[in-house]
Amino acid sequence: MSSTAQAAADAATRGAPVDELLLAALGADIAAATVLDCGGGTGRFAVPLAVAGARVTVVDVSVDALATLLRRADEAGVAERVRAVQGEVEALDPAIGGEQFDLVLAHGVLDALDDLAVGFAAIVAATRPGGLVSLLVDNPAAAVLTRALAGELEAAEREVAALGDERGPAGGATPQTVARLCAAHGLALEQQHGIGIFRDLVPGRVLDHPGARESLLRLEAACAQRSPFAQIAARVHLLARRPASG
């Protein structure tokens, strides 16, 4: 397999469980659904949702990323269902003109916010009452395990020392922090899944075997909500609902 094909396959393996969770959450209403992807970049999640029938707005600071998004949407035949807006998450309201959405994605973007509280509040405000917020956050606990298995024991110790912090080792939001923010904003946490439990631990050569990637996806799905596996996943996906009266 070429390096380009390998990278594409790896990305699909990592993202597939989240795609399935989002499609299941929207269900039969997806054709009427409006989605906002905060920091959605090149459309990794936006384009598949548009292909499934949703109307998706992507807000990102990168003009180049948004150009790639529009090209991908055009190639997928869903250009009319994808809108690109240049802007920052902390200033969502002026970027989207106060519009609210059925589903708001914040996948990996919370780690990049200068002000987590302000950005999170903006994400909640962009969610219609009764709508869903999809959050994908790096899990610092997984970094400890990965470092230790790689023989980087001192680095693993440093990761452990940061586990009790309000923010993760790289300054990003932890799953625990995000869960507390959901509660503070009155969001009801409906689902929580570990994403990438085994992906970074399985040798790459193993995944080249016939059927190995499919087996990995099944294994990930089987363990996504099982303790202790979910607690050591590379990322955590949280799906929360804004109260209908909020």
Side-chain angles (χ1 to χ4, degrees):
M1 182 181 295
S2 70
S3 59
T4 301
Q6 182 75 57
D10 289 345
T13 301
R14 288 192 297 270
V18 180
D19 287 336
E20 293 171 3
L21 291 169
L22 295 177
L23 293 174
L26 291 173
D29 296 328
I30 193 166
T34 58
V35 179
L36 172 65
D37 192 350
C38 302
T42 60
R44 166 63 193 85
F45 294 100
V47 172
L49 284 168
V51 168
R55 292 191 172 274
V56 188
T57 298
V58 177
V59 174
D60 200 284
V61 296
S62 171
V63 174
D64 290 340
L66 293 175
T68 300
L69 160 73
L70 294 176
R71 185 176 68 251
R72 290 181 64 182
D74 185 61
E75 291 171 351
V78 293
E80 75 284 358
R81 291 203 290 273
V82 174
R83 176 174 57 145
V85 177
Q86 186 183 15
E88 297 183 352
V89 175
E90 291 97 327
L92 266 183
D93 188 67
I96 59 177
E99 186 178 354
Q100 292 185 313
F101 298 80
D102 299 310
L103 171 64
V104 178
L105 314 184
H107 293 174
V109 72
L110 298 181
D111 292 339
L113 297 180
D114 293 328
D115 191 322
L116 178 59
V118 170
F120 196 89
I123 289 166
V124 174
T127 309
R128 70 163 178 80
L132 290 166
V133 181
S134 175
L135 305 154
L136 192 60
V137 189
D138 286 341
N139 182 11
V144 177
L145 183 59
T146 301
R147 295 280 196 184
L149 290 176
E152 301 172 6
L153 301 182
E154 292 184 0
E157 286 185 280
R158 290 194 294 271
E159 300 281 6
V160 170
L163 285 178
D165 292 351
E166 182 70 10
R167 307 196 81 180
T174 67
Q176 293 78 14
T177 302
V178 174
R180 286 195 292 272
L181 283 169
C182 286
H185 284 271
L187 303 181
L189 190 58
E190 294 193 348
Q191 298 179 27
Q192 182 168 328
H193 293 81
I195 304 295
I197 301 167
F198 305 105
R199 176 63 189 84
D200 293 335
L201 305 178
V202 175
R205 63 182 181 278
V206 173
L207 297 179
D208 289 334
H209 297 166
R213 293 181 186 277
E214 292 76 10
S215 294
L216 177 60
L217 288 173
R218 290 194 298 270
L219 180 61
E220 293 276 358
C223 296
Q225 290 182 290
R226 292 192 180 190
S227 182
F229 304 110
Q231 285 72 39
I232 62 169
R235 295 179 294 172
V236 174
H237 179 250
L238 303 98
L239 192 66
R241 189 176 296 277
R242 184 175 179 181
S245 59

